[in-house]
Amino acid sequence: MRGQIQGFVAVCCLLAMPAEAADDDVTVYTEEFPPYNYSEQGNAVGLATAKVRQVLGEARLNYKIRVVPWPRAMQRALSEDNAFIFTIARTPEREDTFDWIVPIAKSEFHLYVRKGEAGRATEHAIRVGELGRRLIIFQPDTD
């Protein structure tokens, strides 16, 4: 299977976020995704985290960043008021769910299989897991 999935990794917030939220604390959710965002001695750090801190600081928002498993980050961003989430790929399915504020980086994902197995790497095989551990998805550095 050839092709790339391209998306913008972005800081985003929910459309439902009330206008008066600027006066309240904002909770920002992310996952362990080094070197972009991760926990170090109980603090959220990383390349993307630094950008998020810069943007929120310039906006003069009171915020706290929580590093949690991705499913929890997404669930809380979708259900809590005044919740932001990063790093998240901008996809057509997510386009209307979030307000996309600041692109952090452009990402490219590549799909690799062992030599001679490319014919088996159909979209269906990938979706249902027929390739097992012979499948590698590689995300190059975007420096």
Side-chain angles (χ1 to χ4, degrees):
M1 178 173 157
R2 291 185 189 168
Q4 301 174 355
I5 299 172
Q6 293 186 0
F8 285 95
V9 180
V11 179
C12 60
C13 69
L14 298 179
L15 285 168
M17 188 171 162
E20 67 273 6
D23 295 331
D24 298 334
D25 284 341
V26 172
T27 303
V28 184
Y29 292 102
T30 193
E31 67 175 330
E32 295 282 350
F33 186 49
Y36 305 103
N37 26 276
Y38 58 98
S39 296
E40 189 172 90
Q41 298 179 351
N43 296 310
V45 295
L47 301 171
T49 305
K51 179 71 172 184
V52 169
R53 288 185 189 284
Q54 177 188 359
V55 169
L56 296 178
E58 289 175 10
R60 296 186 172 172
L61 290 174
N62 296 319
Y63 65 91
K64 54 187 172 265
I65 298 177
R66 303 274 187 231
V67 180
V68 298
W70 184 252
R72 187 179 316 154
M74 186 63 94
Q75 183 273 327
R76 288 186 177 174
L78 291 170
S79 64
E80 294 179 4
D81 290 337
N82 306 335
F84 289 50
I85 187 168
F86 79 99
T87 52
I88 183 171
R90 190 171 189 169
T91 65
E93 297 81 15
R94 293 177 177 158
E95 187 66 30
D96 294 334
T97 305
F98 298 100
D99 283 330
W100 301 88
I101 300 173
V102 179
I104 296 173
K106 186 174 181 176
S107 295
E108 294 182 12
F109 295 89
H110 304 274
L111 180 65
Y112 296 89
V113 295
R114 286 193 306 211
K115 191 171 185 169
E117 293 189 8
R120 295 186 55 214
T122 65
E123 184 176 347
H124 174 75
I126 293 165
R127 287 186 186 273
V128 299
E130 289 177 358
L131 296 177
R133 295 191 175 166
R134 295 184 300 264
L135 176 68
I136 299 171
I137 299 176
F138 173 71
Q139 179 183 7
D141 289 337
T142 56
D143 295 331

Short mmCIF file of all heavy atoms in Angstrom, two decimals, residues 21-54:
data_model
loop_
_atom_site.label_atom_id
_atom_site.label_comp_id
_atom_site.label_asym_id
_atom_site.label_seq_id
_atom_site.Cartn_x
_atom_site.Cartn_y
_atom_site.Cartn_z
N ALA A 21 -14.78 31.32 29.07
CA ALA A 21 -13.77 30.39 29.57
C ALA A 21 -12.42 31.05 29.76
O ALA A 21 -11.60 30.55 30.51
CB ALA A 21 -13.64 29.20 28.63
N ALA A 22 -12.16 32.18 29.09
CA ALA A 22 -10.87 32.84 29.23
C ALA A 22 -10.59 33.24 30.67
O ALA A 22 -9.45 33.38 31.07
CB ALA A 22 -10.80 34.05 28.31
N ASP A 23 -11.63 33.43 31.48
CA ASP A 23 -11.45 33.81 32.87
C ASP A 23 -11.28 32.60 33.78
O ASP A 23 -10.95 32.74 34.95
CB ASP A 23 -12.65 34.63 33.35
CG ASP A 23 -12.75 35.95 32.61
OD1 ASP A 23 -11.70 36.48 32.19
OD2 ASP A 23 -13.88 36.44 32.45
N ASP A 24 -11.53 31.41 33.27
CA ASP A 24 -11.45 30.19 34.05
C ASP A 24 -10.14 29.45 33.75
O ASP A 24 -9.46 29.75 32.80
CB ASP A 24 -12.62 29.26 33.71
CG ASP A 24 -13.97 29.88 34.05
OD1 ASP A 24 -14.00 30.74 34.95
OD2 ASP A 24 -14.96 29.52 33.40
N ASP A 25 -9.87 28.47 34.59
CA ASP A 25 -8.74 27.60 34.31
C ASP A 25 -9.08 26.68 33.14
O ASP A 25 -10.21 26.26 32.97
CB ASP A 25 -8.41 26.74 35.53
CG ASP A 25 -7.69 27.54 36.61
OD1 ASP A 25 -7.14 28.61 36.28
OD2 ASP A 25 -7.66 27.08 37.75
N VAL A 26 -8.08 26.40 32.33
CA VAL A 26 -8.21 25.50 31.20
C VAL A 26 -7.38 24.26 31.52
O VAL A 26 -6.27 24.37 32.04
CB VAL A 26 -7.69 26.18 29.91
CG1 VAL A 26 -7.63 25.20 28.77
CG2 VAL A 26 -8.54 27.39 29.57
N THR A 27 -7.93 23.10 31.22
CA THR A 27 -7.17 21.87 31.37
C THR A 27 -6.76 21.40 29.98
O THR A 27 -7.59 21.32 29.07
CB THR A 27 -7.99 20.77 32.06
OG1 THR A 27 -8.44 21.26 33.33
CG2 THR A 27 -7.14 19.52 32.29
N VAL A 28 -5.49 21.15 29.81
CA VAL A 28 -4.93 20.73 28.53
C VAL A 28 -4.50 19.28 28.67
O VAL A 28 -3.72 18.94 29.56
CB VAL A 28 -3.73 21.61 28.14
CG1 VAL A 28 -3.22 21.23 26.76
CG2 VAL A 28 -4.10 23.08 28.20
N TYR A 29 -5.03 18.41 27.80
CA TYR A 29 -4.72 16.99 27.86
C TYR A 29 -3.79 16.59 26.73
O TYR A 29 -3.89 17.10 25.60
CB TYR A 29 -6.00 16.15 27.77
CG TYR A 29 -6.87 16.32 28.99
CD1 TYR A 29 -7.98 17.14 28.97
CD2 TYR A 29 -6.54 15.66 30.18
CE1 TYR A 29 -8.77 17.29 30.09
CE2 TYR A 29 -7.32 15.82 31.31
CZ TYR A 29 -8.44 16.64 31.26
OH TYR A 29 -9.21 16.80 32.38
N THR A 30 -2.90 15.69 27.04
CA THR A 30 -2.01 15.10 26.05
C THR A 30 -1.61 13.72 26.51
O THR A 30 -2.00 13.28 27.60
CB THR A 30 -0.79 16.00 25.78
OG1 THR A 30 -0.12 15.55 24.60
CG2 THR A 30 0.17 16.02 26.96
N GLU A 31 -0.82 13.04 25.70
CA GLU A 31 -0.38 11.69 26.01
C GLU A 31 1.14 11.63 26.06
O GLU A 31 1.82 12.59 25.70
CB GLU A 31 -0.87 10.72 24.94
CG GLU A 31 -0.22 10.97 23.58
CD GLU A 31 -0.59 9.97 22.53
OE1 GLU A 31 -0.86 8.80 22.86
OE2 GLU A 31 -0.60 10.35 21.35
N GLU A 32 1.66 10.49 26.46
CA GLU A 32 3.10 10.24 26.39
C GLU A 32 3.44 9.99 24.93
O GLU A 32 3.05 8.98 24.35
CB GLU A 32 3.48 9.00 27.23
CG GLU A 32 3.24 9.14 28.72
CD GLU A 32 4.31 9.97 29.42
OE1 GLU A 32 5.37 10.29 28.81
OE2 GLU A 32 4.10 10.31 30.61
N PHE A 33 4.14 10.95 24.29
CA PHE A 33 4.50 10.86 22.88
C PHE A 33 5.84 11.57 22.68
O PHE A 33 5.94 12.60 22.03
CB PHE A 33 3.39 11.48 22.03
CG PHE A 33 3.55 11.33 20.55
CD1 PHE A 33 3.83 10.10 19.97
CD2 PHE A 33 3.40 12.43 19.72
CE1 PHE A 33 3.96 9.97 18.60
CE2 PHE A 33 3.52 12.31 18.35
CZ PHE A 33 3.80 11.08 17.78
N PRO A 34 6.90 11.01 23.32
CA PRO A 34 8.22 11.66 23.23
C PRO A 34 8.71 11.70 21.78
O PRO A 34 8.41 10.78 21.02
CB PRO A 34 9.13 10.78 24.08
CG PRO A 34 8.29 9.70 24.64
CD PRO A 34 6.93 9.78 24.06
N PRO A 35 9.41 12.71 21.39
CA PRO A 35 9.90 13.85 22.17
C PRO A 35 8.94 15.04 22.18
O PRO A 35 9.28 16.11 22.66
CB PRO A 35 11.18 14.23 21.44
CG PRO A 35 10.86 13.96 20.00
CD PRO A 35 9.98 12.72 20.03
N TYR A 36 7.73 14.84 21.66
CA TYR A 36 6.80 15.96 21.53
C TYR A 36 6.09 16.31 22.83
O TYR A 36 5.95 17.49 23.15
CB TYR A 36 5.77 15.65 20.43
CG TYR A 36 6.46 15.30 19.14
CD1 TYR A 36 6.56 13.99 18.72
CD2 TYR A 36 7.05 16.29 18.36
CE1 TYR A 36 7.22 13.67 17.55
CE2 TYR A 36 7.72 15.97 17.19
CZ TYR A 36 7.80 14.66 16.79
OH TYR A 36 8.47 14.35 15.64
N ASN A 37 5.62 15.33 23.57
CA ASN A 37 4.99 15.55 24.86
C ASN A 37 5.17 14.29 25.70
O ASN A 37 4.95 13.18 25.23
CB ASN A 37 3.51 15.92 24.74
CG ASN A 37 2.84 15.42 23.49
OD1 ASN A 37 2.93 16.06 22.46
ND2 ASN A 37 2.18 14.28 23.55
N TYR A 38 5.58 14.50 26.95
CA TYR A 38 5.80 13.40 27.87
C TYR A 38 5.98 13.94 29.28
O TYR A 38 6.13 15.15 29.48
CB TYR A 38 7.01 12.55 27.45
CG TYR A 38 8.32 13.30 27.34
CD1 TYR A 38 9.23 13.28 28.39
CD2 TYR A 38 8.63 14.03 26.21
CE1 TYR A 38 10.43 13.97 28.30
CE2 TYR A 38 9.83 14.72 26.11
CZ TYR A 38 10.73 14.69 27.15
OH TYR A 38 11.91 15.38 27.07
N SER A 39 5.96 13.04 30.25
CA SER A 39 6.14 13.42 31.66
C SER A 39 7.59 13.25 32.06
O SER A 39 8.23 12.26 31.72
CB SER A 39 5.30 12.52 32.57
OG SER A 39 3.94 12.71 32.32
N GLU A 40 8.07 14.22 32.81
CA GLU A 40 9.41 14.13 33.37
C GLU A 40 9.34 14.69 34.79
O GLU A 40 9.04 15.87 34.97
CB GLU A 40 10.39 14.93 32.51
CG GLU A 40 11.84 14.73 32.89
CD GLU A 40 12.76 15.40 31.88
OE1 GLU A 40 13.08 16.59 32.07
OE2 GLU A 40 13.12 14.73 30.90
N GLN A 41 9.56 13.83 35.77
CA GLN A 41 9.47 14.20 37.18
C GLN A 41 8.14 14.89 37.49
O GLN A 41 8.07 15.88 38.20
CB GLN A 41 10.65 15.08 37.57
CG GLN A 41 11.98 14.39 37.42
CD GLN A 41 13.15 15.27 37.78
OE1 GLN A 41 13.01 16.48 37.99
NE2 GLN A 41 14.33 14.68 37.85
N GLY A 42 7.05 14.34 36.92
CA GLY A 42 5.72 14.85 37.21
C GLY A 42 5.30 16.07 36.42
O GLY A 42 4.20 16.58 36.61
N ASN A 43 6.17 16.56 35.54
CA ASN A 43 5.85 17.74 34.73
C ASN A 43 5.71 17.37 33.27
O ASN A 43 6.45 16.52 32.76
CB ASN A 43 6.96 18.80 34.87
CG ASN A 43 7.06 19.32 36.27
OD1 ASN A 43 6.07 19.70 36.87
ND2 ASN A 43 8.28 19.32 36.82
N ALA A 44 4.79 18.03 32.58
CA ALA A 44 4.63 17.84 31.14
C ALA A 44 5.73 18.63 30.43
O ALA A 44 5.90 19.82 30.66
CB ALA A 44 3.26 18.31 30.69
N VAL A 45 6.49 17.94 29.58
CA VAL A 45 7.59 18.56 28.84
C VAL A 45 7.57 18.05 27.41
O VAL A 45 6.80 17.16 27.07
CB VAL A 45 8.95 18.26 29.50
CG1 VAL A 45 9.05 18.89 30.88
CG2 VAL A 45 9.20 16.76 29.59
N GLY A 46 8.43 18.59 26.58
CA GLY A 46 8.58 18.14 25.21
C GLY A 46 8.47 19.29 24.22
O GLY A 46 8.12 20.42 24.58
N LEU A 47 8.79 19.00 22.97
CA LEU A 47 8.80 20.01 21.93
C LEU A 47 7.42 20.63 21.72
O LEU A 47 7.28 21.86 21.64
CB LEU A 47 9.31 19.41 20.62
CG LEU A 47 10.72 18.81 20.67
CD1 LEU A 47 11.02 18.05 19.39
CD2 LEU A 47 11.75 19.90 20.91
N ALA A 48 6.40 19.80 21.59
CA ALA A 48 5.03 20.32 21.39
C ALA A 48 4.53 21.01 22.65
O ALA A 48 3.85 22.03 22.58
CB ALA A 48 4.09 19.19 20.98
N THR A 49 4.88 20.45 23.80
CA THR A 49 4.44 21.04 25.07
C THR A 49 4.98 22.46 25.22
O THR A 49 4.27 23.36 25.67
CB THR A 49 4.88 20.16 26.25
OG1 THR A 49 4.39 18.84 26.04
CG2 THR A 49 4.38 20.70 27.57
N ALA A 50 6.23 22.67 24.81
CA ALA A 50 6.82 24.01 24.89
C ALA A 50 6.03 24.99 24.01
O ALA A 50 5.76 26.12 24.41
CB ALA A 50 8.29 23.96 24.47
N LYS A 51 5.64 24.54 22.83
CA LYS A 51 4.86 25.40 21.92
C LYS A 51 3.49 25.71 22.52
O LYS A 51 3.01 26.84 22.47
CB LYS A 51 4.71 24.71 20.56
CG LYS A 51 3.92 25.47 19.56
CD LYS A 51 4.66 26.69 19.06
CE LYS A 51 3.89 27.32 17.89
NZ LYS A 51 4.61 28.44 17.33
N VAL A 52 2.85 24.69 23.11
CA VAL A 52 1.54 24.89 23.74
C VAL A 52 1.66 25.89 24.89
O VAL A 52 0.84 26.80 25.03
CB VAL A 52 0.96 23.55 24.21
CG1 VAL A 52 -0.25 23.75 25.10
CG2 VAL A 52 0.62 22.68 23.00
N ARG A 53 2.68 25.73 25.72
CA ARG A 53 2.89 26.67 26.82
C ARG A 53 3.07 28.10 26.30
O ARG A 53 2.54 29.06 26.87
CB ARG A 53 4.09 26.25 27.67
CG ARG A 53 3.85 25.02 28.50
CD ARG A 53 5.05 24.74 29.43
NE ARG A 53 4.95 23.47 30.09
CZ ARG A 53 4.16 23.20 31.13
NH1 ARG A 53 3.39 24.15 31.61
NH2 ARG A 53 4.16 21.99 31.68
N GLN A 54 3.81 28.25 25.21
CA GLN A 54 4.03 29.57 24.62
C GLN A 54 2.71 30.19 24.16
O GLN A 54 2.42 31.34 24.47
CB GLN A 54 4.99 29.46 23.44
CG GLN A 54 5.22 30.76 22.72
CD GLN A 54 6.02 30.59 21.44
OE1 GLN A 54 6.45 29.50 21.08
NE2 GLN A 54 6.22 31.68 20.73
#
